[in-house]
């Protein structure tokens, strides 16, 4: 696509074409190795063990993320620290039968901090600091899709204070504020005639809110929950493009320059139920609706280039989660398990090397142990990506992407009740 454009408009416009092509990858590129789109939903060791089907039955500080309405039913004060270790790798098989290309193995640690406390019998507050959106992938410098993406990274850090109100012994509501700092770093190859690459980076703040409700028709035996997290617009007004052409004659034509664009993180709607048929067994079901249609259109502006509109064509996705927890005869020792069906947010012509998105089937396992004021929880998630075909050549060479990821979450918590 870039080479055709160069033939049509000539060498003097190479910088414009390359920058625009690079920003496609910068903003519409990379996808996380975990959830649909670039959402990382699994943010605690306890929740991971239950496939994060915890909206209607959570009793840990991470309720700030999963459902803050539960905080007003949690007595005293509690806090947790932990992290989720993610390791993933993708493989591309070209449609013409050429050799496969493997991405570098990506290893990431996502730290989390949560705290909550009751003000009185009806009010509780909470605070969370975490990463819920992110990407990270790198391909060989000389691979067939280098002009679509060589490396893509998105890092976010969210600050989420919340307030929970118990309106009745069977019903509570919560509201929270989200402040999210995001930074992007993307590298794409320049056209063959130029050689080398261009690296783009930028940062932005975005703001949103979240609400939650918890209904307990039979407290601790049967509970229902609904949560909503708003979309968050992030305007990358300070983006910078740094060019490194391989052929020196193109250096004057490829000056480093600034650009601006915006992306919108999606709305997330979750509904869940929890049942406890016997005191030692907890069963739960959750459904997430993620409105990735916020990610369909991106307008890009540059100092030395005309505005361009990109259409990633994100689609709304549904994730289904089922989890179980068994309180063993050993006091304080829990065993957990679960499964997840996670529908892809991008497919077909929108699929690319920075976004090897696909429908996923996940298997969760976990254990937990608590004594006195302290407890520790460990969760493991195997993420199997179904093969995903890139077609049309718009965002990627035509071919099939295959990926596999592992998540390991550890949470250490303390409570004073």
């Amino acid at each position: 696509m870039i080479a055709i454009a160069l033939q049509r408009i000539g060498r003097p416009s190479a910088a414009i074409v390359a920058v625009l092509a690079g920003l496609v990858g910068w903003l519409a590129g990379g996808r996380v190795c975990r959830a649909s789109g670039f959402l990382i939903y699994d943010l605690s060791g306890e929740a991971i063990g239950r496939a994060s089907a915890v909206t209607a039955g959570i009793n840990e500080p991470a309720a700030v993320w999963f459902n803050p309405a539960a905080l007003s039913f949690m007595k005293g004060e509690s806090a947790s620290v932990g992290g989720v270790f993610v390791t993933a790798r993708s493989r591309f098989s070209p449609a013409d039968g050429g050799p496969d290309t493997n991405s570098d193995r990506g290893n990431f640690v996502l730290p989390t901090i949560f705290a909550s406390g009751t003000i009185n019998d009806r009010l509780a507050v909470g605070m969370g600091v975490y990463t819920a959106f992110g990407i990270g992938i790198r391909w060989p410098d000389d691979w067939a899709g280098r002009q679509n993406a060589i490396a893509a990274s998105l890092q976010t850090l969210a600050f989420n204070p919340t307030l929970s109100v118990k309106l009745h012994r069977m019903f509570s509501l919560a509201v929270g504020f989200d402040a999210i700092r995001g930074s992007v770093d993307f590298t794409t190859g320049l056209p063959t005639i130029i050689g080398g690459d261009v690296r783009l980076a930028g940062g932005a703040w975005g703001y949103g809110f979240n609400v939650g409700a918890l209904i307990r028709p039979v407290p601790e035996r049967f509970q229902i929950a609904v949560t909503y997290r708003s979309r968050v617009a992030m305007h990358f007004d300070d983006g910078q493009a740094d060019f490194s052409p391989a052929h020196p004659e193109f250096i004057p034509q490829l000056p480093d320059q600034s650009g601006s664009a915006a992306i919108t993180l999606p709305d997330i709607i979750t509904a869940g139920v929890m049942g406890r048929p016997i005191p030692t067994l907890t069963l739960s079901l959750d459904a997430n609706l993620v409105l990735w249609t916020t990610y369909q259109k991106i307008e890009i502006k540059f100092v030395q280039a005309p505005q361009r509109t990109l259409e990633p064509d994100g689609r709304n996705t549904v994730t289904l989660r089922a989890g179980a927890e068994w309180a063993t005869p050993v006091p304080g020792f829990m065993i957990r398990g679960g499964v997840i069906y996670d529908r892809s947010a991008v497919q077909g012509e929108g699929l690319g090397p920075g976004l090897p998105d696909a429908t996923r089937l996940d298997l969760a396992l976990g254990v937990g142990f608590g004594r006195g004021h302290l407890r520790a929880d460990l969760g493991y998630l195997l993420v199997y990506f179904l093969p995903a075909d890139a077609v049309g050549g718009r965002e990627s060479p035509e071919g099939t992407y295959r990926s596999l990821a592992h998540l390991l979450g550890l949470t250490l918590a303390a409570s004073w009740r």
Side-chain angles (χ1 to χ4, degrees), residues 55-59 67 69-75 166 168-172 213-225 272 274 276:
T55 307
I58 187 167
N59 191 35
N67 186 3
L71 296 176
S72 53
F73 289 106
M74 295 166 53
K75 298 179 180 179
K166 186 194 305 180
H168 186 272
R169 67 181 182 86
M170 294 190 300
F171 180 61
S172 64
L214 180 62
I215 306 171
R216 311 201 311 167
V218 185
E220 304 300 333
R221 296 292 299 275
F222 178 67
Q223 302 182 167
I224 305 169
M274 183 277 286
R276 192 168 282 126

Side-chain angles (χ1 to χ4, degrees), residues 137-161:
I137 193 167
R138 182 173 183 87
W139 298 89
D141 291 343
D142 58 352
W143 83 292
R146 63 184 300 276
Q147 292 184 33
N148 300 105
I150 294 175
S153 172
L154 166 65
Q155 299 180 25
T156 63
L157 186 65
F159 301 87
N160 183 194

Side-chain angles (χ1 to χ4, degrees), residues 101-412:
T101 300
N102 292 317
S103 70
D104 292 349
R105 176 165 293 282
N107 299 311
F108 314 94
V109 177
L110 311 175
T112 59
I113 302 174
F114 295 102
S116 66
T118 54
I119 297 175
N120 55 40
D121 290 341
R122 291 184 176 273
L123 295 177
V125 294
M127 181 67 187
V129 181
Y130 52 80
T131 293
F133 292 91
I135 62 175
I137 193 167
R138 182 173 183 87
W139 298 89
D141 291 343
D142 58 352
W143 83 292
R146 63 184 300 276
Q147 292 184 33
N148 300 105
I150 294 175
S153 172
L154 166 65
Q155 299 180 25
T156 63
L157 186 65
F159 301 87
N160 183 194
T162 61
L163 174 67
S164 178
V165 182
K166 186 194 305 180
L167 300 176
H168 186 272
R169 67 181 182 86
M170 294 190 300
F171 180 61
S172 64
L173 291 175
V175 62
F177 171 74
D178 300 306
I180 302 176
R181 176 64 182 178
S183 61
V184 292
D185 194 335
F186 184 85
T187 301
T188 187
L190 294 170
T192 303
I193 192 174
I194 301 173
D197 57 48
V198 55
R199 180 180 179 183
L200 302 108
W205 280 95
Y207 306 96
F209 68 94
N210 64 287
V211 295
L214 180 62
I215 306 171
R216 311 201 311 167
V218 185
E220 304 300 333
R221 296 292 299 275
F222 178 67
Q223 302 182 167
I224 305 169
V226 178
T227 67
Y228 170 73
R229 285 188 173 271
S230 73
R231 63 189 61 188
V232 175
M234 307 196 76
H235 299 273
F236 293 90
D237 295 326
D238 61 345
Q240 295 293 324
D242 297 324
F243 289 88
S244 301
H247 302 292
E249 63 268 26
F250 285 98
I251 293 177
Q253 302 174 20
L254 295 171
D256 296 344
Q257 60 183 282
S258 61
S260 64
I263 62 174
T264 301
L265 305 179
D267 310 76
I268 307 169
I269 304 168
T270 301
V273 296
M274 183 277 286
R276 192 168 282 126
I278 59 176
T280 58
L281 179 63
T282 302
L283 303 175
S284 54
L285 294 172
D286 273 21
N288 308 122
L289 174 62
V290 186
L291 304 186
W292 283 111
T293 50
T294 62
Y295 200 58
Q296 285 189 320
K297 185 177 180 180
I298 302 170
E299 294 182 346
I300 305 169
K301 299 178 181 179
F302 280 91
V303 174
Q304 300 181 26
Q307 177 175 310
R308 179 174 177 179
T309 300
L310 307 175
E311 298 182 6
D313 296 330
R315 64 174 181 175
N316 296 340
T317 65
V318 175
T319 302
L320 302 177
R321 305 170 182 273
E325 179 181 81
W326 175 45
T328 71
V330 179
F333 184 62
M334 305 287 189
I335 295 178
R336 307 180 179 106
V339 293
I340 303 173
Y341 168 80
D342 199 358
R343 185 171 178 255
S344 66
V346 178
Q347 58 179 352
E349 292 185 357
L351 195 64
L355 46 85
D357 202 24
T359 296
R360 271 134 287 184
L361 303 175
D362 305 350
L363 175 65
L365 297 171
V367 295
F369 181 74
R371 175 171 292 180
H373 298 289
L374 304 177
R375 70 170 300 104
D377 295 286
L378 183 68
Y380 166 74
L381 194 65
L382 171 66
V383 184
Y384 173 71
F385 292 66
L386 299 179
D389 295 326
V391 298
R394 189 181 77 191
E395 299 292 343
S396 165
E398 293 193 348
T400 301
Y401 290 92
R402 296 176 175 85
S403 303
L404 187 68
H406 306 268
L407 278 72
L408 188 66
L410 174 64
T411 302
L412 304 176

